[in-house]
Amino acid sequence: MRRTLITAAVTTALALTLAGCGGADTDTDAAADPSPQPSASAPADAQPAESADDEAAVATKAACDMAVPASEANTANIEDDFDKLIAAAVEGGSAPETAESEFRSKLAGWTGMLQSLAVDPVDADVQQALTEAADVVAQINDPDDNTPMGQVTGLLTEATDKLKAACA
């Protein structure tokens, strides 16, 4: 879909550029000087490789722009999330189940976002960092995971730092 849009935009821009150049020249000038035509077709020949590189750069930037702030915020708030879980356990009733469900849903959403960004045509280092961060969050979200609460923040911080470094 993005390739189609990029190709259409480039084709439109090229057509408008050529139309603008044709309007400034007379027909005899254009027939006498065929040099604009080969130079105009040369970028079109190079377009597919440039489009793929541009698409990867755009996708990488978009992935980083989404993943880094979300990961930083979620990592910064993990202690508050644990506090809410503890407070809900003390409260009793249905509060613990509700709090745990909300916590797990938040982590599942975070994991899903990271995984979906990792399948976009992003830079290989960013893709690896996204995948590793998603794996760490999924591990923490696993009900059978026994990672001590004191280590969770460190694991998330490390994954977020790797993601930020890959995106830099």
Side-chain angles (χ1 to χ4, degrees):
M1 176 78 173
R2 283 185 248 153
R3 286 184 186 169
T4 304
L5 292 176
I6 290 171
T7 303
V10 169
T11 304
T12 303
L14 183 60
L16 291 174
T17 301
L18 292 176
C21 292
D25 296 336
T26 62
D27 290 339
T28 56
D29 290 340
D33 186 14
S35 61
Q37 292 173 345
S39 65
S41 66
D45 293 342
Q47 200 64 26
E50 290 176 12
S51 267
D53 290 343
D54 289 345
E55 182 180 342
V58 168
T60 299
K61 181 175 178 353
C64 288
D65 288 349
M66 285 182 66
V68 170
S71 295
E72 288 176 326
N74 285 327
T75 298
N77 293 327
I78 198 72
E79 294 295 330
D80 291 338
D81 293 337
F82 287 149
D83 290 344
K84 289 177 187 174
L85 288 170
I86 293 168
V90 170
E91 183 179 323
S94 65
E97 291 88 22
T98 301
E100 182 178 358
S101 176
E102 289 172 1
F103 176 73
R104 296 214 181 276
S105 177
K106 177 181 179 179
L107 292 179
W110 184 10
T111 301
M113 179 206 46
L114 294 170
Q115 289 171 336
S116 70
L117 293 172
V119 298
D120 284 347
V122 297
D123 179 72
D125 291 339
V126 171
Q127 184 179 42
Q128 181 177 350
L130 287 165
T131 301
E132 288 176 6
D135 290 346
V136 168
V137 177
Q139 171 194 334
I140 292 165
N141 197 27
D142 183 353
D144 296 327
D145 181 54
N146 292 321
T147 303
M149 286 179 19
Q151 292 179 5
V152 169
T153 302
L155 290 171
L156 294 175
T157 299
E158 183 180 329
T160 300
D161 287 347
K162 284 182 182 179
L163 182 58
K164 288 185 338 189
C167 287

